[in-house]
């Protein structure tokens, strides 16, 4: 599914907001050689960000050392592509709910205020689009609430958005799915 409406503008903005971040071959990943191989690390470092595949992002996220501050800083580099893949409804880590769980947006010592403000705006725009979708056989609004919540973003604005759209059939159907 290709994303629509205003999300392409947010993805473009994400690439701008996080454009100053880079990575090198010394990624903060499991070095057992099984989780991610030196060849895969080399490909991650040498493939243009916009060209990284779902599988490459998945391999990186799965092998990240989550307790490492360095890993959280590294994910800044990958985040625009991760958000782009989410907008295309491509899942790169366990399921929708866990997709951003290793980002730790609540770590304000590692994320700039402008980055978090962008992510709040993005999550709201993304969630509004989810609530407007009629066909949600695979994912529901609840899945995306979990995604942004586990990522460390505030859920109150998303919940308020849902309440404000309570007069639409699609928002009601998403709510019905919880029960």
């Amino acid at each position: 599914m290709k994303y629509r409406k205003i999300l392409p503008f947010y993805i473009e903005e994400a690439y701008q907001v996080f454009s100053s971040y880079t990575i090198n071959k010394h990624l903060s990943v499991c070095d057992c050689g099984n989780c991610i191989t030196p060849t895969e690390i080399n490909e991650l470092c040498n493939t243009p960000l916009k060209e990284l595949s779902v599988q490459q992002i998945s391999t990186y996220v799965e092998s990240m050392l989550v307790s490492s501050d360095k890993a959280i800083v590294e994910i800044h580099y990958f985040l625009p592509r991760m958000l782009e893949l989410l907008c295309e409804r491509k899942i790169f880590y366990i399921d929708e709910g866990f997709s951003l769980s290793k980002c730790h947006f609540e770590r304000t010592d590692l994320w700039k205020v402008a980055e978090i403000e962008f992510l709040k705006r993005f999550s709201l725009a993304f969630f509004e689009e989810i609530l407007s979708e009629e066909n949600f056989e695979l994912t529901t609004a609840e899945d995306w609430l979990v995604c942004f919540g586990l990522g460390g973003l505030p859920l109150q604005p998303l919940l308020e958005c849902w309440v404000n759209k309570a007069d639409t059939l699609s928002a009601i159907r998403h709510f019905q799915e919880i029960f």
Side-chain angles (χ1 to χ4, degrees), residues 109-145:
D109 57 323
L110 300 175
W111 292 92
K112 296 175 185 171
V113 171
E115 294 166 348
I116 295 300
E117 290 305 313
F118 163 77
L119 289 162
K120 288 177 183 177
R121 289 186 296 107
F122 170 82
S123 67
L124 185 58
F126 184 94
F127 196 69
E128 285 176 341
E129 184 166 303
I130 292 296
L131 290 176
S132 70
E133 291 178 352
E134 297 292 329
N135 183 9
F136 56 93
E137 295 169 9
L138 299 176
T139 61
T140 66
E142 180 185 13
D143 297 321
W144 297 110
L145 280 175

Side-chain angles (χ1 to χ4, degrees), residues 19-132:
S19 65
S20 65
Y21 294 96
T22 60
I23 55 167
N24 61 45
K25 66 180 180 172
H26 302 291
L27 295 174
S28 186
V29 293
C30 175
D31 62 0
C32 72
N34 210 15
C35 295
I36 190 168
T37 66
T39 301
E40 290 169 323
I41 291 172
N42 188 47
E43 289 172 359
L44 273 174
C45 294
N46 292 308
T47 301
L49 180 59
K50 290 182 179 187
E51 295 175 19
L52 289 175
S53 69
V54 172
Q55 185 57 52
Q56 288 172 305
I57 294 291
S58 177
T59 300
Y60 170 73
V61 172
E62 290 173 7
S63 64
M64 274 180 65
L65 300 177
V66 292
S67 59
S68 162
D69 288 359
K70 183 178 181 286
I72 296 169
V73 172
E74 284 172 0
I75 210 160
H76 287 65
Y77 171 80
F78 293 104
L79 190 59
R81 183 65 177 138
M82 292 166 65
L83 297 177
E84 185 173 25
L85 293 170
L86 288 181
C87 288
E88 295 172 2
R89 307 304 187 265
K90 294 181 180 169
I91 307 308
F92 47 82
Y93 185 57
I94 303 174
D95 67 17
E96 301 79 15
F98 287 96
S99 296
L100 299 176
S101 62
K102 292 188 176 184
C103 294
H104 295 281
F105 300 127
E106 75 281 359
R107 293 284 311 271
T108 56
D109 57 323
L110 300 175
W111 292 92
K112 296 175 185 171
V113 171
E115 294 166 348
I116 295 300
E117 290 305 313
F118 163 77
L119 289 162
K120 288 177 183 177
R121 289 186 296 107
F122 170 82
S123 67
L124 185 58
F126 184 94
F127 196 69
E128 285 176 341
E129 184 166 303
I130 292 296
L131 290 176
S132 70

